[in-house]
Amino acid sequence: NTADSEQRTSNDATMENQTKPKPPSAATPTAPTTPTTANGETLLGTPHSELSSICLSLLAAFVLARLLAVVSALATALAAPLTGFYLMSTCPTVESFDAKRELKRVLRGDNLPEDHPDKPKGFIGKALAKVTATIEAEAAALAGCSVEIIDIIGLVKIAVIRNTAAKTDYYWLGAVNRWRYIMARNVPGETYQRMKRD
């Protein structure tokens, strides 16, 4: 009986030890959980990284814009005097404008494009246009056509031939070592009379 009572006491002690809850171990602390999205992506640090990326992009764009503005201003400041110097150094002289020769070129259609209906075609057409232009130029010279050259601050020149016989003004632009024909303008006879009186 004594042995049976000791066996029951030992079994009761073992069951009591098994059912008694164990205290949590202080040596293994639990790791803090990180907030996640529905897809399992972590949210820690995401807003800060996106904000930093946006700030860096804006800063880079601002610096690039300022750099381009400085370069553009510098290029403009250098281009203006260089262009002016180039135009002044290549502006044709007044003596280089041959009024009779330039007028002949215009009258025979040298300035017209190839597909223009008034452009002389073929050898005969070009020869007739050349003869006609020579006659008209000589007639204009005999009629007393005037030549006026306007100098625009030494950069370019504008030449005007006033053909009183044909009541037409012809304009050329002198720049970059050349005289370029611009246009012809019909002028009423009263305007020529007024210009003579003035």
Side-chain angles (χ1 to χ4, degrees), residues 19-79:
T19 56
K20 185 177 181 180
K22 295 181 179 180
S25 176
T28 56
T30 57
T33 58
T34 302
T36 59
T37 62
N39 295 329
E41 299 176 355
T42 59
L43 296 176
L44 186 62
T46 301
H48 296 289
S49 61
E50 289 183 357
L51 183 60
S52 300
S53 177
I54 294 173
C55 290
L56 288 176
S57 300
L58 291 176
L59 181 61
F62 176 76
V63 171
L64 182 60
R66 293 291 297 173
L67 182 61
L68 290 177
V70 171
V71 171
S72 177
L74 182 61
T76 303
L78 292 176

Side-chain angles (χ1 to χ4, degrees), residues 14 24 38 41 61 85 117 133:
T14 302
E41 299 176 355
F85 176 76

Side-chain angles (χ1 to χ4, degrees), residues 97 102 106 111-112 152 156-160 169-175 178-185:
F97 182 74
E102 295 295 338
V106 173
N111 62 298
L112 298 176
I152 303 178
V156 296
K157 291 183 176 68
I158 296 178
V160 184
D169 287 352
Y170 301 90
Y171 295 85
W172 284 262
L173 175 66
R178 286 185 58 188
W179 290 97
R180 295 169 176 81
Y181 175 70
I182 303 175
M183 65 174 186
R185 183 172 66 95

